[in-house]
Amino acid sequence: QVQLVESGGGLVQTGGSLRLSCAASGRTLRTYAVGWFRQAPGKEREFVARINRGGGTTYYADPVEGRFTISRNNAESTVYLQMNNLKPEDTAIYYCAANLWSGTSSASAWDYWGQGTQVTVSS
């Protein structure tokens, strides 16, 4: 079983950047597909991006396409989410999730979750 820990959240102004990290322990992350989700207060958890086990295939939600980049370093068992040109509507708790298969944009399809990291974008 893999344990996931997110880091890198914080407070940033509109137009700024942050890089989130999702580090794995317990098992190597190289055998898992990884996704990022976010949840704003009063809203459902929503898909942000996902990456396959090898790192060659990525998918993004429309609101973040072109601004966010998901990548992975399997040697370090870490997945990253580079977030550029941040907007106030990006404010949320960001979670990473892992799955032994490819995963989908549905949160219910992912087996393992981290505790989340807060991202706040001020206007």
Side-chain angles (χ1 to χ4, degrees), residues 8-28:
L11 174 64
V12 65
Q13 291 184 333
T14 296
S17 298
L18 285 173
R19 188 177 80 157
L20 305 184
S21 299
C22 174
S25 62
R27 293 190 63 179
T28 177

Side-chain angles (χ1 to χ4, degrees), residues 37-102:
F37 291 77
R38 65 187 183 186
Q39 188 166 17
K43 294 189 177 182
E44 297 284 321
R45 190 169 298 189
E46 65 174 4
F47 169 73
V48 174
R50 61 184 173 99
I51 189 167
N52 69 341
R53 287 176 290 183
T57 303
T58 57
Y59 297 92
Y60 297 92
D62 287 344
V64 307
E65 180 82 52
R67 300 188 296 123
F68 291 10
T69 303
I70 188 172
S71 62
R72 66 189 303 156
N73 184 328
N74 282 339
E76 296 183 353
S77 210
T78 302
V79 171
Y80 303 98
L81 184 68
Q82 177 68 43
M83 306 186 296
N84 298 327
N85 191 22
L86 283 160
K87 304 175 181 181
E89 52 264 42
D90 294 317
T91 296
I93 299 174
Y94 283 70
Y95 300 89
C96 68
N99 202 321
L100 282 172
W101 55 289
S102 62

Side-chain angles (χ1 to χ4, degrees), residues 1-4 23-29 31-32 77 97-99 111-113:
Q1 186 167 344
V2 65
Q3 290 83 44
L4 305 173
S25 62
R27 293 190 63 179
T28 177
L29 202 55
T31 61
Y32 294 84
S77 210
N99 202 321
D111 294 326
Y112 305 102
W113 291 85

